[in-house]
């Protein structure tokens, strides 16, 4: 991961969010307040508006800036949660180029920061249900000597599996938890946007 790849990744997330904005909102209308697509769109539009005007010297600067913009642009729970994830990843990558192991450690820091802030664990039907298996898959491939694109591909597959596995769960965190058992049978919106974020990473890495 270098500065160009970090920038391209963030652009790819913004494009995926644009494409799937209505779907994310539709998922959130079933078990939330129907704003997840709007929140993600607003956040990543702020990022794509501001990032091209910056001259980052490290991968970390791209990601910290992304996180800060998400926090200031998004009102919903997902803004501070994703914002803290990107900021923590960025703080772990104060270097111009990160190898696969360094990026794996940064992903773990991002996940830890979301869990510190939101106190969700796997099975609570949140973005953690996609994020945690994605980090685990990335680490697994990295430790086995796989390259960045292979690790990112495995992470995206794991995130999508985790996303689908949220459907039968009852929400224990976030707005969806107010529905109790009525949250069962719906895919979690935040797990879905997390899967988009990891798929964007995999596609960006594979395209190099
Ligand atoms: P809001 O719930 O404020 O309307 P969004 O609709 O943008 O915010 O995001 C909702 C998503 O945020 C949920 O689908 C869930 O994945 C995620 N989420 C909510 N609370 C938490 C939490 N405490 N920890 C992790 N993720 C959470
Ligand atoms: Mg919402």
């Amino acid at each position: 991961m270098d500065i160009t790849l970090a920038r391209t990744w963030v652009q790819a997330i913004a494009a995926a969010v644009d494409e799937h904005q209505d779907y994310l909102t539709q998922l959130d209308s079933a078990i939330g307040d129907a704003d997840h697509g709007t929140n993600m769109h607003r956040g990543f539009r702020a990022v794509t508006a501001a990032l091209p005007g910056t001259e980052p010297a490290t991968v970390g600067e791209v990601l910290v800036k992304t996180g800060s913009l998400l926090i200031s642009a998004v009102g919903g729970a997902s803004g501070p949660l994703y914002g803290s994830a990107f900021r923590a990843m960025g703080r772990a990558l104060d270097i111009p180029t990160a190898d696969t192991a360094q990026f794996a450690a940064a992903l773990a820091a991002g996940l830890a920061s979301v869990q510190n802030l939101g106190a969700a664990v796997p099975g609570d039907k949140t973005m953690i249900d996609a994020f945690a298996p994605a980090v685990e898959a990335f680490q697994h491939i990295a430790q086995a000597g796989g390259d960045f694109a292979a690790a990112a591909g495995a992470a995206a597959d794991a995130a999508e599996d985790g996303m689908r596995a949220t459907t039968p769960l009852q929400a224990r965190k976030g707005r969806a938890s107010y529905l109790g058992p009525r949250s069962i049978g719906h895919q979690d919106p935040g797990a879905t946007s997390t899967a988009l974020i990891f798929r964007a990473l995999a596609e960006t890495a594979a395209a190099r």
Side-chain angles (χ1 to χ4, degrees), residues 24-25 28-29 31-37 39 76-78 175 189:
L24 294 174
T25 286
D28 197 34
S29 74
I31 55 170
D33 56 353
D35 65 355
H36 189 55
N39 285 341
S78 58
R175 278 179 198 281

Side-chain angles (χ1 to χ4, degrees), residues 160-171:
E160 286 165 6
D161 286 347
M163 166 195 89
R164 283 188 283 269
T166 62
T167 301
L169 298 176
Q170 177 172 332

Side-chain angles (χ1 to χ4, degrees), residues 15 20 24 37 43 46 56 61 67-68 74-75 82 88-89 102 111 123 140 143 146 158 177 187 195 204:
H20 298 287
L24 294 174
E61 279 178 38
S68 301
V74 181
Y82 280 131
M89 283 191 275
Q102 286 167 325
L111 173 62
H140 182 76
Q143 278 156 15
S177 66
Q187 187 172 298
T204 309

Side-chain angles (χ1 to χ4, degrees), residues 28 33 35-36 39 76-78 81 114 118-120 125-128 173-175 188-191:
D28 197 34
D33 56 353
D35 65 355
H36 189 55
N39 285 341
S78 58
L81 292 167
V114 175
K125 196 182 182 97
T126 70
M127 59 175 71
I128 296 299
K173 283 283 181 297
R175 278 179 198 281
D188 181 62

